Amino acid sequence: MSDVRTTRTLFSAPPHEHRRVLVLGAGIAGLVAAGELRAHGYDVTVLEARQRVGGRVHTMRLPGSELAAEMGAMRIPHDHRRTVALCGELGLTLLPFASGSVGTRESISRSGVDARSSGLAGWERSRDVWSRWERTVEDVRRDWFRLSRRQFIDRWDRLSIRGFLRSRGWSEQAIEEYGIVTFTESTLGTSVLQEFRETFSSAYETAYRIDGGMDLLPRGLADRLRDCVLLGHEVEQIVDGVDGIEVATRTAAGQVVFRADLVVCTLPFPVLRTVDLVGSFSPGKRRAVRQLHYDAATKVYLQLRRPTWRREVGPAGGAVSTAAPIRRTQYPALDHLGADRHLLLASYTWGQDALQWAALSENERMRLATRDLEQAHPGVSAEVEGSISHAWSADRYAMGAYALGEPGQTRDLLDDAVRPEGRIVFAGEHCSHLPAWIEGAVESAHDAVAMILPRRPAGARASWL
Ligand SMILES: Cc1cc2nc3c(=O)[nH]c(=O)nc-3n(C[C@H](O)[C@H](O)[C@H](O)COP(=O)(O)OP(=O)(O)OC[C@H]3O[C@@H](n4cnc5c(N)ncnc54)[C@H](O)[C@@H]3O)c2cc1C
């Protein structure tokens, strides 16, 4: 559905114009926008609050080990062409991601959703969750390939996942099963649009991970930008004036004020609300910043001595869902069988599940994840040595996992979210048609750059400069 532009010019096009641009945030959107603008001759400075680049692409490694815990993005769907192309340009190796679902039914029956069929409608009884879904979305799939993106959004952004399934005659029991099997029980109230995007683009079928860790992508991009990324600069104020724009940052050494002709703002909207904005933001923009719904996500990794789970799961790895608090366990492919330590994504949660995990201490997260894992793999608790976890809702520089719209929000808020204000252009996954993916962040950066470049590709909206 999307119009993919080549990234071949990234960092290599000859400069033809010198204007000062401040890019706020060194996540994927900020780094890609900065690279493209530098390639076009702009004088770019990237201001990043953390002491690392990558934002929500965040890999943590065990000291002295190759084992990586992906706290944010962990997979790249095969058809995310911009992201795959970036990895190719940086010479990164893509390995298969263990996307398959293993042991789902067993974990469900163990965790309380019994095999009763009395609550199921007649047509649901002979089908599993996946074939019920496939049957239900046949006409939507036709729309996906037939309608323009705008028409598709207008038609299908009105309903939540739950509302859509109800409108198609699903019983409450079948909806409950769908929520558990697809990990969406805590996000059934969000727009069904994301569910369609991911189903029809086969996002979960074939995916890759980056050999060595996902953070090699942002770190590779930042290396190409060399000295123009300033870490430890927390943006506190943006003043959009008549003669230019000023951005004040807080650093360990005190406040620093930067002046520029343009700003590319990639800060997640919940964070942007905490920044002091001086200038005339339109009511539509202010509403989008306030209202756009961000989901929560929490990941808990357990460090184990031996991968005892391979008895039940097998060496290929994959995902298991359950109604228990851990919700989803993502088993890695066992490349390191001889290793003396292993990292397992024991619990990956969204929505209110993730908020509940966010309320727990690290020790409590380890205890609860171990308890639930023990149900599936008796004896595994004896192997647990420690845990590392991250709750994105409590992350000061994200304040949420990603933009996952409520029904109608893509239709009603996205244009306002993207629209430039004065000298500020907006980018980030929340300003794209693929929110919650690296691909969306890259797409939004390309779109932002297209708005800024004097010779804009057809379709770019940029008469504001
Ligand atoms: C748990 C989780 C799992 C995910 N899984 C996947 C996946 O498997 N595959 C996939 O493709 N995508 C996945 N994503 C989504 C993907 O990580 C994001 O869409 C993408 O990384 C967002 O990039 P961005 O540049 O828009 O935002 P960010 O990465 O958030 O970049 C914004 C930057 O701004 C900085 N910042 C914030 N406040 C300030 C401030 N005041 N001053 C200066 N700097 C500031 C932040 O530190 C950050 O570096 C996942 C995300 C999460 C949270």
Side-chain angles (χ1 to χ4, degrees):
M1 300 266 291
S2 68
D3 160 36
V4 175
R5 223 157 51 79
T6 177
T7 59
R8 207 171 301 140
T9 56
L10 189 62
F11 308 111
S12 61
H16 68 269
E17 182 169 346
H18 289 279
R19 294 184 79 191
R20 286 167 304 156
V21 182
L22 293 171
V23 175
L24 312 187
I28 297 292
L31 294 169
V32 170
E36 294 239 353
L37 289 170
R38 248 168 77 120
H40 285 87
Y42 287 79
D43 175 5
V44 179
T45 302
V46 184
L47 302 173
E48 167 58 49
R50 302 180 205 261
Q51 293 297 340
R52 63 169 178 84
V53 298
R56 283 169 278 170
V57 180
H58 179 28
T59 308
M60 292 178 76
R61 291 179 180 76
L62 291 183
S65 161
E66 287 175 13
L67 295 176
E70 299 297 354
M71 293 305 182
M74 61 183 175
R75 81 193 107 191
I76 302 171
H78 67 104
D79 59 349
H80 285 190
R81 286 183 281 159
R82 299 172 201 247
T83 313
V84 171
L86 274 180
C87 292
E89 286 187 51
L90 293 171
L92 302 175
T93 305
L94 297 179
L95 299 174
F97 178 85
S99 299
S101 174
V102 278
T104 308
R105 282 170 174 281
E106 189 192 356
S107 16
I108 287 173
S109 58
R110 257 197 214 130
S111 43
V113 180
D114 58 37
R116 73 204 136 101
S117 57
S118 54
L120 294 175
W123 71 274
E124 292 167 340
R125 290 201 181 124
S126 56
R127 295 179 169 86
D128 68 10
V129 166
W130 303 110
S131 51
R132 283 176 212 151
W133 173 257
E134 282 304 320
R135 176 180 183 235
T136 302
V137 299
E138 272 169 16
D139 61 320
V140 187
R141 187 186 293 278
R142 280 195 296 277
D143 278 358
W144 176 261
F145 292 107
R146 187 173 58 89
L147 299 181
S148 69
R149 181 151 66 187
R150 170 67 63 185
Q151 288 169 327
F152 189 86
I153 290 168
D154 284 348
R155 178 166 300 178
W156 291 111
D157 189 35
R158 290 171 295 116
L159 292 172
S160 65
I161 302 172
R162 186 193 297 281
F164 171 72
L165 295 177
R166 274 199 189 131
S167 76
R168 296 295 168 116
W170 284 48
S171 64
E172 278 309 311
Q173 185 179 329
I175 294 174
E176 181 186 358
E177 287 178 11
Y178 180 85
I180 293 169
V181 170
T182 64
F183 318 115
T184 55
E185 194 174 32
S186 55
T187 52
L188 286 173
T190 57
S191 171
V192 71
L193 199 58
Q194 185 81 341
E195 210 71 350
F196 292 150
R197 288 173 178 139
E198 292 175 1
T199 302
F200 303 139
S201 67
S202 320
Y204 288 110
E205 277 168 25
T206 309
Y208 306 113
R209 63 192 164 96
I210 297 175
D211 190 15
M214 294 293 286
D215 65 344
L216 296 183
L217 173 59
R219 283 165 53 193
L221 294 170
D223 282 351
R224 304 285 183 101
L225 290 166
R226 292 186 200 90
D227 51 354
C228 79
V229 181
L230 303 183
L231 301 178
H233 279 263
E234 178 178 333
V235 172
E236 285 188 321
Q237 189 182 54
I238 305 172
V239 182
D240 193 3
V242 182
D243 302 326
I245 188 154
E246 284 185 358
V247 174
T249 63
R250 185 156 53 88
T251 74
Q255 200 184 59
V256 183
V257 177
F258 296 82
R259 289 180 184 78
D261 302 300
L262 284 173
V263 160
V264 178
C265 178
T266 74
L267 307 186
F269 277 177
V271 180
L272 187 59
R273 291 191 75 192
T274 70
V275 172
D276 187 11
L277 300 169
V278 182
S280 53
F281 268 36
S282 65
K285 175 69 78 185
R286 290 186 186 274
R287 183 176 70 125
V289 172
R290 276 196 321 272
Q291 292 185 359
L292 188 60
H293 176 75
Y294 273 68
D295 195 22
T298 301
K299 285 185 172 181
V300 182
Y301 280 81
L302 292 180
Q303 182 187 315
L304 300 111
R305 268 182 292 274
R306 291 184 306 140
T308 56
W309 65 81
R310 79 169 179 276
R311 283 195 304 266
E312 292 87 18
V313 175
V320 169
S321 60
T322 167
I326 53 170
R327 282 294 187 187
R328 170 176 18 184
T329 300
Q330 182 72 42
Y331 297 90
L334 287 174
D335 318 324
H336 300 285
L337 256 189
D340 58 355
R341 282 183 293 175
H342 295 266
L343 273 178
L344 175 65
L345 177 49
S347 171
Y348 181 13
T349 48
W350 293 338
Q352 74 170 16
D353 289 328
L355 292 173
Q356 289 159 7
W357 281 88
L360 302 179
S361 69
E362 186 63 48
N363 271 347
E364 289 167 329
R365 290 176 193 170
M366 182 170 81
R367 191 190 59 74
L368 190 58
T370 306
R371 184 202 74 181
D372 283 358
L373 205 62
E374 179 73 23
Q375 296 289 313
H377 309 295
V380 75
S381 47
E383 306 294 333
V384 174
E385 293 180 324
S387 69
I388 32 176
S389 60
H390 197 77
W392 288 95
S393 57
D395 182 308
R396 171 66 186 89
Y397 300 120
M399 297 175 76
Y402 28 67
L404 200 63
E406 292 169 352
Q409 288 204 325
T410 300
R411 189 191 53 192
D412 297 340
L413 300 182
L414 186 61
D415 284 349
D416 283 330
V418 174
R419 182 171 299 116
E421 296 283 335
R423 296 166 186 271
I424 309 173
V425 183
F426 294 84
E429 53 89 24
H430 54 287
C431 292
S432 78
H433 284 282
L434 260 182
W437 291 101
I438 294 172
E439 185 77 355
V442 181
E443 176 191 290
S444 74
H446 288 166
D447 290 347
V449 170
M451 288 184 214
I452 292 169
L453 293 182
R455 266 176 284 139
R456 294 177 295 277
R461 299 155 292 170
S463 54
W464 56 280
L465 280 176

